[in-house]
Amino acid sequence: MGWLRSLGSDLRQSWRALAQHPGMTSVAVVTVALAIGAGAAIFAIVNAILIQPLPYKDPDRLVMAWNINPQKGYTYELAKMQGDSMSPAEFIEWRDSGIFQSAALFSSSLLTISDDENPEMTHGYFLSEGGFDMLGVRPLLGRLPTPDEERAGGPRVIVLLDSIWQRRFHGDPNVLDQTINLNGLDYRIIGVMPPSFLFFNRQSELLGSIQFPAKTWTLRTPRSFRVMARLADGLTLEQAQGRATQFSKTMAERHGAMNEGWTMLLTSVAEDAAGELRTPLLALLGAVGLLLLIMCGNLASLLLVRATARGRELAVRVALGAGRWRLVRVLMGESLLIALAGGVLGLGLTFLIVRAFQDLRPDRFTHGRYLLQLEAIRIDPWVLAFGFVAALAAGLLFGALPALRASRPNINQYLKESGRGSSGGMRLRSIHAALVIAEVAFSVVLVTGATLLVRSFSALYERGPGMQPERLLTMLVQPPLGSIYAELLQRGVPREQLFAKVNELASHVEAETLRRVAAVPGVESVAGVDKLPMQGWFPPSSFSIEGQSVENQIDQPSAQVVRATANYFETIGVPLLRGRTFGPEDQSDSPSVCLVSEELARRYFGGSDPIGRRLKLGEVNSRGPWMSVIGVVGDLREAGMRGQPTPAIYTSNEQRHSERTWLILKSRTPTPLSILQETRSAIRQVDSRMPIYRVQTMANVVRSSTWQLEHSMMLLSGLAALALLLAVVGLYGVLSYTVRQQTREIGVRMALGADRSLLLKMVLFNGMKLVGIGLLLGCFASMALTRFLAALLFGIEPLDAPTFLLASLVLLLAGVAASYLPARRATSVSAMEALRHE
């Protein structure tokens, strides 16, 4: 136990040495805390999205199977956006192909929970037989569907996810066997999933069984279902992809044109969920590494200065018999105590950053819907371990050089010089200079990356969404179609008239809702639309232009088809460029009309005027009516801020019915949420069973479409600002130390008549020389590393010259600021005082 007592003695000495210099110790601890706090927060995000497994059994064996056809423009991105991949009959063949141990067909559904007191809409997924077993997750309460409940004709049962269990049922453990009405049908609640469980995306709250009848499993169209599968034992993803490619060819041989050009793309569920975030997140993790290196260089320089100042103390210890490794242990003990204290403080900062990031997570219904892992961002043992290990490694790194150098003091030199301050000489200055150059170079990389993202974000908003989102409040409402249907049946309405009658009554409910909401105090206008813009998930539809023929389906024009009220464009601030908007004359029994976006007119009509031309949804020989173009409106970025203008066809709300409607309210005040309560009351007055769903401001909808760029910009800018601060402090410290070491030399120069301005320039030159070398090295490193941010950039290239110049200018100005104060201090000392120095 002697070594333990010796270690304890060394740590006590280290503690006493730090306590004697509280200012320096505090600066060092705060420096470590800032770097560890920021680094661990970013690791918490990377850990949740890229490292931690998804909440399924053996998630690395689970894949998404996407049926794509690049020849027809049906890419992986489009398939994922639309959610269309496979037909039931195709699924059966793929399930039995031998590539998968098990597979499940599933589809999403927007479900209305019918309740007179608390109606609401939510999302659910329905899985084919065996889907629950494939996931391998046991419920927190109750059970999963039995095989009989998964087949056609079986009892209707539902499994709750934790979010709806907590929100709607307040976590009641007696929820099992209760009945919930979904879209007019009663389902029995049989289970509750664990809090960590999510299926496929962040908006799902209910899970049920598809229960297809036998006839449905024979259908080869439409390809409107997603497929998740578990790979067969012994197959790697690469091997499975090879077999899937070959089986796609077999399917084309079996079914001819139906499967010609279609091929299966297998992606791991984790990769499918992470999307394009992997490279940017790894870039951010690399930025954390650079920040930690900058912090280590900063503290190594600080401890070198302190060790130099303690040269006589250490020389006396050696003269009294202290061994070199004993000194190393004591000095390293000081570094590790600083690192651990900073690490503990830094993890507290991490907690605050992660909490703030959790509040800023993107909307779970639009552009952030597939990132299941976002819900898992928290301070867990992995994050704590990262913070502890990073702090420990940093302490060893920034403490090693000062400890090893100071543990071999030149006793004769200190006795001869009587501590006049020249110990260390040129070699020590060179070490300090190398550390500063490295700090500046690393800072250039971070500042350049942050500047790229800031300029990209600025360019995105300068281009704009194509509308004016300020003062707009949005919400989704739906007439209680199930209840209306049931009431009409009770009245004895013949079944052949039911559909038309339901549509008629639903249209009446929608019109009355718009009228009542428009009368709410504080509402300037209200519009209705079936597809809220900027959400990025509504698929385009093909259409035909009268008088224009296409050779094949690939050349068929396509556009976003949107049903809107007459005042939609005025309410959201989209300009009318030519023609007119919908008017009172455009009724259900009038000739069909439409408006088109400027992008559609440019792309499909070239230089000709589309006003008066006729369009039809689908192919020329489809049964849909021809619609006359009556106006051209400005472009909306329907797919989000990063998307290109979308060709769009706008049809009249009076001529084309939809099951549900997005209400867009324009508030008279800058705070649109202030009118929410009275709006809810107005809607309840129309029908108390009508649910209100996804209430949010349009500004938030727009912002959600930029969240990847915005969050990356915020995180990297924070790291860059911290790195810049540390680099400035490091440069200031090194120049201050150099000036102190050169005090006698400066005194001699001043006594001999040297001009103070020349001395000022000399010190400034020494500082800027270090900055210049660091800038040059940093620019070369940035050229190699900023390409990892390419997936996030918009309207700017990774090697954008103005960005590099701007980042370099920031570093130069910071270098001048850090060099100026030591230079002024050097020239403010009188010659006599300088000559008497030490």
Side-chain angles (χ1 to χ4, degrees):
M1 298 295 290
W3 68 272
L4 192 58
R5 286 194 296 271
S6 177
L7 179 61
S9 175
D10 292 342
L11 289 176
R12 285 192 295 274
Q13 290 186 48
S14 300
W15 174 255
R16 285 195 295 268
L18 293 175
Q20 290 173 2
H21 300 84
M24 186 280 297
T25 302
S26 299
V27 170
V29 169
V30 169
T31 300
V32 174
L34 291 174
I36 295 297
I42 289 179
F43 177 78
I45 299 170
V46 175
N47 177 54
I49 297 178
L50 298 185
I51 300 176
Q52 290 301 307
L54 291 171
Y56 312 125
K57 177 186 176 182
D58 298 330
D60 56 314
R61 304 293 298 166
L62 287 175
V63 297
M64 291 298 301
W66 295 103
N67 211 8
I68 62 174
N69 192 331
Q71 295 178 3
K72 296 183 178 180
Y74 198 76
T75 62
Y76 164 68
E77 290 76 16
L78 185 59
K80 190 173 180 181
M81 181 184 75
Q82 296 186 193
D84 298 344
S85 177
M86 203 176 296
S87 67
E90 285 178 317
F91 167 74
I92 296 296
E93 293 183 82
W94 279 101
R95 185 194 62 186
D96 299 336
S97 66
I99 301 173
F100 308 119
Q101 181 186 93
S102 56
L105 191 79
F106 65 95
S107 64
S108 63
S109 180
L110 184 58
L111 302 169
T112 297
I113 300 177
S114 302
D115 185 331
D116 290 343
E117 296 182 359
N118 187 24
E120 67 170 302
M121 281 187 281
T122 186
H123 277 262
Y125 278 97
F126 291 83
L127 289 71
S128 63
E129 185 176 354
F132 287 94
D133 290 339
M134 178 191 68
L135 298 176
V137 180
R138 305 311 304 169
L140 178 69
L141 295 177
R143 61 178 178 82
L144 298 174
T146 63
D148 287 340
E149 292 167 337
E150 292 181 308
R151 298 183 188 123
R156 286 191 293 269
V157 296
I158 204 75
V159 176
L160 307 180
L161 270 65
D162 181 75
S163 56
I164 194 170
W165 181 49
Q166 297 292 343
R167 185 185 73 253
R168 191 171 181 91
F169 299 95
H170 311 291
D172 182 7
N174 298 315
V175 71
L176 299 180
D177 292 326
Q178 291 186 27
T179 299
I180 184 172
N181 188 278
L182 304 174
N183 290 352
L185 299 174
D186 288 335
Y187 287 77
R188 183 163 60 93
I189 299 171
I190 61 170
V192 178
M193 299 304 288
S196 62
F197 178 85
L198 283 172
F199 179 72
F200 190 63
N201 67 23
R202 297 169 60 215
Q203 64 194 23
S204 58
E205 292 194 308
L206 297 164
L207 287 181
S209 298
I210 282 185
Q211 296 184 332
F212 278 156
K215 182 179 179 181
T216 302
W217 291 109
T218 64
L219 299 178
R220 305 202 66 81
T221 59
R223 293 183 170 95
S224 55
F225 299 92
R226 297 179 174 98
V227 173
M228 185 182 292
R230 184 174 292 279
L231 295 178
D233 292 339
L235 274 186
T236 65
L237 180 59
E238 292 73 18
Q239 291 170 336
Q241 181 61 69
R243 293 179 60 175
T245 301
Q246 184 59 44
F247 193 75
S248 296
K249 297 176 182 178
T250 302
M251 293 279 284
E253 293 171 358
R254 288 181 187 173
H255 305 290
M258 179 66 68
N259 285 81
E260 186 177 352
W262 291 88
T263 186
M264 184 62 65
L265 175 66
L266 302 180
T267 62
S268 70
V269 170
E271 183 179 344
D272 195 80
E276 299 177 349
L277 285 182
R278 182 175 299 275
T279 300
L281 283 176
L282 292 178
L284 280 173
L285 197 58
V288 168
L290 292 180
L291 178 65
L292 293 176
L293 289 175
I294 292 171
M295 179 265 289
C296 289
N298 197 294
L299 292 184
S301 184
L302 178 65
L303 294 179
L304 275 171
V305 172
R306 184 167 179 270
T308 302
R310 297 169 63 188
R312 295 190 67 195
E313 171 202 337
L314 298 175
V316 169
R317 288 193 180 200
V318 171
L320 293 177
R324 183 187 183 193
W325 294 112
R326 181 67 183 273
L327 292 182
V328 169
R329 290 203 305 271
V330 171
L331 295 172
M332 286 299 298
E334 295 177 20
S335 301
L336 292 176
L337 287 175
I338 289 172
L340 293 177
V344 172
L345 189 62
L347 287 173
L349 177 61
T350 298
F351 176 80
L352 298 177
I353 296 174
V354 170
R355 283 290 299 272
F357 190 86
Q358 288 171 335
D359 294 336
L360 293 173
R361 283 178 298 194
D363 175 39
R364 66 190 180 99
F365 295 103
T366 54
H367 297 270
R369 63 190 180 277
Y370 290 124
L371 284 169
L372 300 180
Q373 304 95 322
L374 286 181
E375 305 301 323
I377 296 176
R378 59 178 62 91
I379 306 296
D380 63 9
W382 286 94
V383 176
L384 296 176
F386 174 86
F388 176 79
V389 171
L392 183 63
L396 292 172
L397 190 58
F398 68 68
L401 180 61
L404 290 173
R405 182 169 180 79
S407 65
R408 300 185 65 176
N410 189 325
I411 300 176
N412 293 330
Q413 179 181 351
Y414 276 103
L415 291 176
K416 288 177 182 179
E417 296 177 356
S418 300
R420 290 191 306 189
S422 59
S423 61
M426 291 299 296
R427 185 176 180 186
L428 189 57
R429 293 179 197 172
S430 298
I431 294 174
H432 283 300
L435 290 173
V436 169
I437 290 171
E439 288 185 52
V440 171
F442 293 150
S443 299
V444 170
V445 176
L446 295 182
V447 172
T448 301
T451 306
L452 278 172
L453 295 184
V454 169
R455 292 195 64 210
S456 185
F457 191 73
S458 175
L460 202 60
Y461 269 88
E462 183 178 344
R463 184 182 71 167
M467 63 178 175
Q468 298 172 9
E470 299 79 14
R471 298 192 290 135
L472 297 182
L473 182 67
T474 70
M475 62 190 71
L476 182 63
V477 297
Q478 176 174 294
L481 300 177
S483 300
I484 292 175
Y485 185 88
E487 290 173 0
L488 291 174
L489 276 179
Q490 289 180 353
R491 292 183 197 173
V493 175
R495 289 187 177 273
E496 60 270 15
Q497 299 178 15
L498 274 176
F499 182 74
K501 197 66 177 175
V502 168
N503 277 346
E504 179 184 338
L505 292 178
S507 297
H508 173 75
V509 170
E510 180 185 29
E512 182 65 13
T513 301
L514 288 168
R515 187 185 68 81
R516 286 184 179 263
V517 171
V520 170
V523 173
E524 181 177 316
S525 64
V526 58
V529 65
D530 68 337
K531 296 181 178 69
L532 191 68
M534 306 297 295
Q535 296 190 96
W537 64 353
F538 294 119
S541 300
S542 62
F543 69 95
S544 301
I545 301 174
E546 188 177 31
Q548 292 186 11
S549 60
V550 294
E551 294 183 2
N552 52 61
Q553 191 176 2
I554 298 177
D555 299 327
Q556 187 79 28
S558 64
Q560 187 85 258
V561 180
V562 180
R563 176 189 63 89
T565 56
N567 65 339
Y568 170 66
F569 307 101
E570 180 183 0
T571 299
I572 68 173
V574 174
L576 175 66
L577 303 178
R578 295 194 294 279
R580 66 174 180 90
T581 58
F582 304 122
E585 65 273 27
D586 303 315
Q587 299 298 314
S588 57
D589 55 355
S590 305
S592 296
V593 295
C594 68
L595 288 89
V596 298
S597 67
E598 185 179 19
E599 175 65 16
L600 186 145
R602 182 197 63 79
R603 185 178 301 185
Y604 297 117
F605 289 94
S608 63
D609 187 356
I611 303 295
R613 300 288 297 274
R614 296 206 304 170
L615 310 178
K616 175 186 284 193
L617 300 183
E619 298 180 1
V620 174
N621 57 1
S622 66
R623 294 194 299 175
W626 286 101
M627 299 179 293
S628 298
V629 178
I630 61 172
V632 178
V633 294
D635 289 324
L636 268 172
R637 304 193 183 279
E638 299 281 0
M641 288 283 282
R642 290 172 62 87
Q644 294 302 315
T646 308
I649 298 172
Y650 298 95
T651 64
S652 170
N653 182 65
E654 299 293 333
Q655 296 184 337
R656 189 166 173 263
H657 178 68
S658 178
E659 286 187 0
R660 55 188 68 97
T661 300
W662 285 94
L663 298 182
I664 303 179
L665 290 70
K666 189 170 187 177
S667 171
R668 298 184 186 277
T669 69
T671 54
L673 285 171
S674 63
I675 60 177
L676 176 58
Q677 185 172 354
E678 292 186 71
T679 300
R680 285 184 183 275
S681 298
I683 295 173
R684 292 283 185 261
Q685 290 171 11
V686 177
D687 194 317
S688 62
R689 301 165 300 180
M690 188 152 48
I692 301 172
Y693 186 52
R694 289 180 59 189
V695 177
Q696 57 187 330
T697 64
M698 183 60 80
N700 187 58
V701 175
V702 173
R703 186 177 179 183
S704 290
S705 72
T706 67
W707 74 270
Q708 292 188 23
L709 176 58
E710 182 180 8
H711 286 54
S712 300
M713 178 189 69
M714 291 168 56
L715 293 172
L716 190 55
S717 296
L719 293 180
L722 187 53
L724 186 61
L725 175 63
L726 293 179
V728 168
V729 170
L731 179 60
Y732 171 80
V734 167
L735 291 179
S736 295
Y737 167 76
T738 303
V739 167
R740 285 197 302 271
Q741 294 294 304
Q742 294 177 318
T743 300
R744 288 177 58 82
E745 175 190 340
I746 291 172
V748 171
R749 287 174 178 256
M750 294 174 65
L752 294 175
D755 186 79
R756 290 180 181 270
S757 63
L758 291 177
L759 291 176
L760 179 68
K761 292 177 182 178
M762 179 189 73
V763 178
L764 280 174
F765 175 77
N766 289 337
M768 298 312 296
K769 179 173 63 176
L770 301 180
V771 172
I773 297 173
L775 276 175
L776 186 62
L777 295 176
C779 284
F780 282 118
S782 298
M783 291 178 185
L785 297 176
T786 52
R787 60 188 177 88
F788 292 106
L789 297 175
L792 293 173
L793 300 182
F794 171 81
I796 191 170
E797 295 296 325
L799 298 181
D800 181 64
T803 298
F804 277 74
L805 290 175
L806 182 58
S808 299
L809 180 61
V810 170
L811 266 297
L812 281 173
L813 293 176
V816 170
S819 305
Y820 184 71
L821 289 179
R824 283 295 301 270
R825 186 180 300 116
T827 58
S828 65
V829 179
S830 66
M832 189 61 67
E833 182 183 349
L835 292 173
R836 286 202 307 265
H837 181 69
E838 298 188 357

